[in-house]
Amino acid sequence: MDTAPPSAPAAAPTDRHRRRVATAAALASAVEWYDYFVFGIAAALVLGDLYFPAASPSAGVLAAFATFAVGFLARPVGGVIAGHLGDRRGRKPMLVLALTLMGVATAGIGLLPTYETIGIAAPVLLVLLRILQGLAVGAQWGGAMLMATEYAPEGRRGLYGSLVQLGVPIGVVTANTVFLAAGALTGDAAFAGWAWRVPFLVGFLVLGLAWYIHTRVEETPEFRAAELALAAQEKERPRSPLRTVLRHQLGTVLLAGGSFAVNTATFYIVVTGVLDYATRELAMERSAVLTVSLCVSLTQLALIPAAAALSDRVGRLRVYAFGAAGLLVWAVPMFLLIDTASLLWLAAGTFVASCFLSIMYGPQAALFAELFSAETRYTGASLGYQIAAVLGGGLAPFLMVLLLEATGTSMSVAAYIMVLAVVALLSIKVLASRAAGADRR
């Protein structure tokens, strides 16, 4: 960790250096999310049988998705720890630490013996490694997002922030591609036996990227500029970014989380929950559903930066609110299309949902960064994001299975999305009112 004394503000970064940092931040996000998503796909396909074999098929999937959700419960902890240190010691050290932790945890899952081999220790160790993944991704998002947005040139913070957001669809595409390849090259028996481990072992490659960022990327200009003021404050009295945020900006954190929960919940329902539902309940072919998920995620590579660039022109909240309203309207039609068990209609339903997700996700990094000052930005933005991840994403696939089992209809899942969309729109309205009031002052 960089604990060197604060230095004078550095000269303005060159365009070449901005591009290098943005590329490194985008790659960090992509590999981190890849590592995180391979667990979700494996939970839907194989982990229930391998690590919770005594359960029924539905209960096994529930147990695997519960383990999936544990990672989300750890994400705010990772965000708080990294936010506290990142606001005091710098963005870069926390990003490097997060990448290292994720690489080790993901590769560890790929090497983990099954229940048949070591008994109850297998699911226990699986949960512990999933917790480490959660801590890592909770720490990573804030670091990568701030590396990109705090290096962004004037008027392009939304676009630069969206490069980090692209890590999500890149991670989904890569994870799905690797799983598809593993299944196609080995067959069902070998896939369940050992080939599912290959996507996890790719986690070792993350360590190389962590080393590159550690040796080739400099700390952000905004943090360096704030460092002298922070040092002066530290001499007068010890400062806790977390305490500052909780005391003065807790409402903003909760509003940020409330605005984003529908996005992360719908995303994990589409990427993970629908994969289980389509293959287990609708008897659709695994490789076909994975291919649809891969193709839909590819469209986000264009839509996310387009939405972010638009937010640089017309405003973050306006674009963000349009995406949330779209999810509210589309929740029921999406599941009506999925329930046809037609691959074409499944693709159409999830594609439109993906468009609205991208419209929200593109400007979200810059929006959250702009809600907080440089001194508390890592902590505040990370907390808002990770609270939404717990309330939305972590529980979404688990709740989807429970709702389907309890009601027997996918309309209950659509209703869950609609409730979160209403919460998002109300949160966005309050944030917009606060922004308008601040402008008048």
Side-chain angles (χ1 to χ4, degrees):
M1 182 182 300
D2 181 10
T3 58
S7 56
T14 63
D15 289 342
R16 180 180 179 182
H17 190 63
R18 291 184 199 274
R19 288 193 294 270
R20 179 197 298 172
V21 172
T23 301
L27 286 173
S29 178
V31 298
E32 192 93 352
W33 285 115
Y34 164 84
D35 283 0
Y36 202 67
F37 289 142
V38 292
F39 192 102
I41 296 172
L45 298 178
V46 297
L47 294 185
D49 292 335
L50 295 174
Y51 291 91
F52 308 95
S56 68
S58 294
V61 172
L62 277 172
F65 278 158
T67 306
F68 179 68
V70 164
F72 285 83
L73 296 176
R75 281 171 59 170
V77 179
V80 167
I81 295 172
H84 176 81
L85 295 174
D87 281 329
R88 296 181 60 156
R89 303 301 182 191
R91 295 23 173 149
K92 188 181 82 169
M94 292 303 100
L95 181 57
V96 171
L97 178 61
L99 288 168
T100 303
L101 184 61
M102 179 62 87
V104 171
T106 303
I109 294 172
L111 297 172
L112 184 64
T114 64
Y115 186 96
E116 185 179 5
T117 304
I118 61 173
I120 193 64
V124 171
L125 291 172
L126 183 67
V127 169
L128 291 176
L129 290 169
R130 181 60 179 170
I131 289 172
L132 292 181
Q133 280 193 318
L135 292 172
V137 82
Q140 173 273 146
W141 181 79
M145 179 270 290
L146 293 179
M147 290 294 289
T149 58
E150 291 186 348
Y151 263 105
E154 186 69 26
R156 301 185 70 186
R157 179 171 275 178
L159 180 59
Y160 269 60
S162 73
L163 298 179
V164 173
Q165 307 296 73
L166 286 176
V168 170
I170 292 173
V172 172
V173 168
T174 309
N176 277 288
T177 300
V178 175
F179 267 103
L180 278 169
L185 294 174
T186 60
D188 290 344
F191 179 82
W194 62 268
W196 68 269
R197 298 180 181 275
V198 175
F200 287 93
L201 296 177
V202 175
F204 280 124
L205 300 179
V206 178
L207 302 179
L209 179 60
W211 178 252
Y212 175 83
I213 293 175
H214 175 67
T215 57
R216 299 293 301 277
V217 175
E218 297 177 4
E219 188 55 80
T220 72
E222 286 195 36
F223 178 79
R224 288 298 190 193
E227 206 172 8
L228 293 174
L230 292 174
Q233 292 176 17
E234 290 289 342
K235 289 180 180 178
E236 295 176 5
R237 62 179 182 184
R239 170 186 161 276
S240 167
L242 177 61
R243 187 182 300 117
T244 301
V245 167
L246 294 180
R247 182 177 297 172
H248 301 293
Q249 296 177 301
L250 179 59
T252 302
V253 169
L254 295 177
L255 288 169
S259 74
F260 189 60
V262 65
N263 186 286
T264 187
T266 306
F267 174 80
Y268 283 103
I269 285 172
V270 169
V271 170
T272 302
V274 169
L275 175 60
D276 167 64
Y277 178 59
T279 55
R280 185 167 55 87
E281 298 289 343
L282 303 180
M284 299 179 72
E285 186 183 352
R286 180 188 69 202
S287 61
V289 178
L290 280 171
T291 301
V292 167
S293 179
L294 186 154
C295 293
V296 167
S297 296
L298 282 172
T299 65
Q300 292 187 304
L301 298 178
L303 291 171
I304 287 175
L310 181 63
S311 78
D312 282 331
R313 294 172 175 267
V314 304
R316 317 272 184 236
L317 288 172
R318 187 175 299 176
V319 176
Y320 199 60
F322 182 81
L327 292 177
L328 173 64
V329 172
W330 188 247
V332 169
M334 177 178 71
F335 276 100
L336 290 176
L337 293 174
I338 291 171
D339 283 343
T340 65
S342 161
L343 200 62
L344 177 62
W345 291 123
L346 170 73
T350 54
F351 168 71
V352 175
S354 178
C355 290
F356 291 124
L357 289 172
S358 300
I359 290 170
M360 284 191 75
Y361 203 57
Q364 185 255 343
L367 172 64
F368 277 30
E370 291 166 354
L371 291 175
F372 304 93
S373 64
E375 293 81 3
T376 59
R377 187 172 290 154
Y378 203 137
T379 301
S382 293
L383 268 180
Y385 188 97
Q386 304 309 338
I387 286 173
V390 172
L391 298 179
L395 294 176
F398 182 81
L399 287 176
M400 180 175 176
V401 175
L402 283 182
L403 289 169
L404 290 170
E405 290 288 320
T407 66
T409 172
S410 62
M411 290 301 101
S412 58
V413 185
Y416 168 57
I417 293 174
M418 293 171 72
V419 169
L420 291 179
V422 170
V423 172
L425 290 170
L426 292 174
S427 300
I428 292 167
K429 183 177 181 180
V430 176
L431 287 172
S433 298
R434 287 186 171 189
D439 289 342
R440 285 195 295 271
R441 291 195 296 271

